[in-house]
Amino acid sequence: MNIQTQPVRRVLFVGAALALALSAGSAFAQDKPKDHADDAASSYVPSMTTLGELQVEIPGRKADDPVMTAEEFQRGTKFYFERCAGCHGVLRKGATGKPLTPDVTRKLGYQHLHDFITYGSPAGMPNWGTSGDLSEADVDLMARYLLLEPPVPPEFGMPEMLATWKVIVAPEDRPTKKMNDWAIDNLFSVTLRDSGEVALIDGADYSIKTILKTGYAVHISRISASGRYLIVIGRDAKIVMIDLWMETPGPVAEVKIGVEARSVETSKYEGYEDKYAIGGAYWPPQYVIMDGNTLEPLKIKSTRGYIYDEQVYHPEPRVAAILASHYRPEFLVNVKETGKILMVDYTDLKNLKTTEIEAERFLHDGGLDSTHRYFITAANARNKLVVIDTKTDKLVAITDTEGLTPHPGRGANFIHPVYGPVWATSHLGDDSVALIGTDPEGHPDNAWKIVSTFYALGGGSLFVKTHPNSKHLYVDATLNPDAETSASVAVFDVTTMNGEDEPEYVTLPIGEWAGIADGQPRVVQPEFNQAGTEVWFSVWNAKDKESAIVVVDDKTLELKAVIKDPRLITPTGKFNVFNTRKDVY
């Protein structure tokens, strides 16, 4: 076995993203200006992958427009949507990145744009040219492309949604009781990102029970309150409902809610179990409430509006995380660019009531505290955590994480020996882990404050995870530029944390244990089984190379199993049915 206890290591990693672009060496001979970045971290950018497949035309040509063919414009649009829109906005009006509309770009000029695309900038702009991601011809094309008016993607309203809505098996034709012998609560829904599928894997014997076609790059899986329906959403905004009671579970309904999306959830409040589902889109910027048994779209609400602090109109505020309240019949909807959290009351869709909470800009992911009362979410580009009381629908606190670009997933709840109940987040931008106190009654002095910051393997972490039955906190480093680091996981013993000394961690060589010789596999998203005795890791490789899932014994931190199968193409997110349904993390 190769488990190493690690000394403290601080390796800054300036990144702001989820999509991976691997450095391929220098493509240019000229020297790099001193104020531009070319480190590996700068090649990580938020992706808008499915928008890039749209067919577009050059908007309103003018006499002084740069010469560009329709084919070149299509190529430029595809690259822009896939690599640039996540920061600069679909309409190029700016988000975490600066505006790139023609009134701005034409003042900057072609050469300025050419240099910035080539070399990047210290503020986080990737070095597309010197990294080898773009050839000299591609850089020239993109510099010309940014001088033209941007194309506007199509809207996606009720007629478009209904045209995609399919009830594959009507509710009256579905089983009235569970028809299989699967241990559903310990089932794992595993995203097979690049094949557009999910694998349902038995948590006891590690067998692949079935693989189901879904949308492209499933972002998350969610479970209905009853535990019967598994609902997934892909980046292409396709939602698929899977009936786990069927003899062989399979899709029973599907719908597309837009062109690009990330989030889905189901109603959980008592009396509304399985009644509604909700999906949130990146484009068009909107959320959709659907029938919980058929996915029929019932209510579409745009999120376009004014940024909470500047009171300036934003044309495309994306819907990020969505959670279901346990205290009210409400959905919590994060609106990224305007910095608002919407508490959407689903008791009366005809007379919809929404409480709008002014929070912080660039809201992303987050989760509930251990009592399920408080929602803690990252405003990642502002390096802050926002706390919402779901019982009173009030903003409780906004706290600086002291790290760069928090990315908690749903976070991790545990009892700290000194500070009491805490919730943890790691960071994309550096190697720190931050703990925020979550017990305003038992530990009021620590509530909603960063009570501890310590360091893990390195920057580029996407997820932290623990379980009520575990004494360990797992921290990945998926997007770290170092191959060994990104294939490993840091594990902390939370029972030994004393609030004074830097906690040590052991390093689990998950990639090495997977036994994959080819490629650069990256380890992502620890996920516990139902009992909290095992933790699963995706070993995510290129789509034409071998990937795997590694299972570790939580008590001993020893390798327990490696799941390999040619059908496991780019496994990423894993969602245990029980833990996901009950918000256990």
Side-chain angles (χ1 to χ4, degrees):
M1 251 201 353
N2 183 15
I3 301 179
Q4 300 175 344
T5 302
Q6 297 290 333
V8 175
R9 196 158 60 106
R10 296 197 64 179
V11 182
L12 289 183
F13 175 90
V14 182
L18 306 180
L20 177 62
L22 295 176
S23 175
S26 176
F28 298 86
Q30 64 262 46
D31 291 335
K32 173 181 70 70
K34 291 182 180 180
D35 62 343
H36 290 257
D38 63 359
D39 58 279
S42 68
S43 66
Y44 299 102
V45 295
S47 62
M48 301 280 276
T49 50
T50 56
L51 274 169
E53 303 306 313
L54 292 174
Q55 297 300 305
V56 298
E57 296 181 357
I58 303 177
R61 297 296 299 258
K62 299 182 180 68
D64 59 346
D65 280 351
V67 176
M68 179 168 281
T69 67
E71 181 183 358
E72 286 181 318
F73 191 78
Q74 183 66 45
R75 283 181 56 214
T77 299
K78 179 177 176 63
F79 188 90
Y80 180 83
F81 282 158
E82 290 181 347
R83 303 294 182 87
C84 313
C87 282
H88 296 284
V90 172
L91 304 178
R92 304 205 324 235
K93 293 181 179 293
T96 53
K98 294 181 179 180
L100 292 174
T101 46
D103 61 312
V104 174
T105 59
R106 292 203 171 198
K107 288 179 181 177
L108 295 174
Y110 169 86
Q111 193 60 48
H112 182 100
L113 296 171
H114 184 283
D115 289 346
F116 262 76
I117 295 168
T118 301
Y119 300 111
S121 78
M125 170 71 177
N127 53 317
W128 297 112
T130 56
S131 70
D133 288 295
L134 287 183
S135 67
E136 172 64 30
D138 289 334
V139 172
D140 165 68
L141 182 148
M142 290 307 298
R144 288 183 287 126
Y145 173 83
L146 293 177
L147 295 170
L148 297 174
E149 290 288 339
V152 179
E155 298 296 322
F156 210 89
M158 189 60 76
E160 290 80 9
M161 288 185 201
L162 290 176
T164 71
W165 174 49
K166 297 178 184 176
V167 178
I168 301 164
V169 181
E172 60 269 23
D173 296 328
R174 298 174 196 168
T176 58
K177 62 180 180 179
K178 184 170 169 284
M179 301 298 290
N180 58 64
D181 61 357
W182 296 15
I184 289 176
D185 272 351
N186 200 28
L187 197 67
F188 285 77
S189 175
V190 180
T191 295
L192 305 181
R193 186 187 187 278
D194 292 327
S195 65
E197 299 170 316
V198 294
L200 302 185
I201 302 180
D202 191 299
D205 65 13
Y206 316 133
S207 63
I208 299 176
K209 308 292 283 187
T210 189
I211 291 180
L212 302 169
K213 282 290 182 185
T214 56
Y216 169 72
V218 163
H219 195 65
I220 57 172
S221 298
R222 291 293 181 258
I223 316 297
S224 68
S226 68
R228 174 172 185 168
Y229 294 116
L230 168 68
I231 302 177
V232 301
I233 188 167
R235 291 186 176 221
D236 57 0
K238 183 179 180 180
I239 300 174
V240 177
M241 172 184 284
I242 298 160
D243 187 352
L244 298 177
W245 281 12
M246 295 168 65
E247 186 173 353
T248 301
V252 294
E254 64 180 50
V255 69
K256 270 178 66 73
I257 63 162
V259 181
E260 185 99 21
R262 296 294 185 275
S263 52
V264 70
E265 182 60 286
T266 66
S267 53
K268 293 183 177 178
Y269 190 71
E270 185 177 359
Y272 290 88
E273 298 91 341
D274 295 17
K275 186 173 179 62
Y276 295 116
I278 183 173
Y282 271 20
W283 187 270
Q286 60 194 23
Y287 64 86
V288 183
I289 299 176
M290 298 158 283
D291 182 277
N293 287 299
T294 67
L295 296 184
E296 178 186 4
L298 304 173
K299 190 83 169 183
I300 305 172
K301 292 293 291 182
S302 173
T303 53
R304 292 180 171 105
Y306 288 82
I307 299 169
Y308 86 96
D309 52 355
E310 297 175 358
Q311 298 292 291
V312 174
Y313 181 76
H314 200 292
E316 49 172 302
R318 294 169 283 178
V319 175
I322 299 178
L323 273 82
S325 173
H326 293 262
Y327 282 81
R328 289 172 177 254
E330 292 178 337
F331 293 119
L332 287 75
V333 178
N334 272 2
V335 185
K336 185 184 284 280
E337 277 75 21
T338 53
K340 298 174 181 178
I341 298 175
L342 309 179
M343 315 294 284
V344 181
D345 184 328
Y346 49 71
T347 58
D348 183 356
L349 300 190
K350 191 70 173 178
N351 301 286
L352 192 70
K353 295 179 181 178
T354 300
T355 300
E356 182 180 286
I357 298 176
E358 295 183 351
E360 181 56 279
R361 293 184 67 186
F362 312 119
L363 298 164
H364 193 61
D365 51 357
L368 299 169
D369 79 310
S370 58
T371 70
H372 293 164
R373 175 172 174 175
Y374 297 97
F375 175 49
I376 309 164
T377 185
N380 54 17
R382 292 285 175 91
N383 305 319
K384 296 183 186 299
L385 297 178
V386 175
V387 183
I388 300 296
D389 185 343
T390 67
K391 186 176 181 179
T392 64
D393 282 3
K394 298 289 187 182
L395 173 69
V396 174
I398 300 177
T399 304
D400 194 311
T401 68
E402 302 174 9
L404 297 176
T405 321
H407 191 284
R410 303 193 97 183
N413 290 295
F414 63 91
I415 307 297
H416 191 284
V418 176
Y419 303 118
V422 297
W423 181 91
T425 182
S426 55
H427 295 79
L428 272 166
D430 63 28
D431 53 348
S432 67
V433 178
L435 307 182
I436 186 171
T438 62
D439 184 15
E441 295 185 5
H443 298 77
D445 292 341
N446 300 329
W448 320 128
K449 300 174 183 176
I450 300 299
V451 295
S452 180
T453 298
F454 49 88
Y455 301 98
L457 281 171
S461 176
L462 292 179
F463 299 101
V464 292
K465 187 68 70 172
T466 188
H467 189 279
N469 295 335
S470 171
K471 69 174 185 177
H472 293 127
L473 175 68
Y474 296 83
V475 185
D476 67 21
T478 310
L479 299 185
N480 195 280
D482 177 71
E484 182 179 353
T485 301
S486 66
S488 303
V489 171
V491 188
F492 295 87
D493 183 339
V494 301
T495 66
T496 64
M497 294 179 176
N498 59 26
E500 296 180 3
D501 301 320
E502 180 75 22
E504 289 190 338
Y505 58 85
V506 297
T507 300
L508 303 187
I510 302 298
E512 177 185 320
W513 287 351
I516 296 173
D518 194 17
Q520 185 183 337
R522 294 171 179 268
V523 174
V524 63
Q525 201 212 26
E527 177 75 349
F528 276 87
N529 64 348
Q530 179 186 1
T533 57
E534 296 174 355
V535 59
W536 294 31
F537 301 90
S538 293
V539 184
W540 169 27
N541 210 349
K543 64 181 178 181
D544 59 344
K545 300 185 185 302
E546 185 179 44
S547 291
I549 294 171
V550 170
V551 182
V552 172
D553 185 298
D554 176 64
K555 185 175 182 180
T556 65
L557 300 183
E558 294 179 348
L559 174 64
K560 194 164 185 179
V562 178
I563 305 172
K564 287 185 178 179
D565 190 290
R567 297 172 294 171
L568 290 180
I569 299 170
T570 56
T572 52
K574 302 165 302 305
F575 302 87
N576 176 269
V577 165
F578 180 86
N579 294 336
T580 303
R581 174 165 60 95
K582 294 292 188 179
D583 290 311
V584 177
Y585 38 81

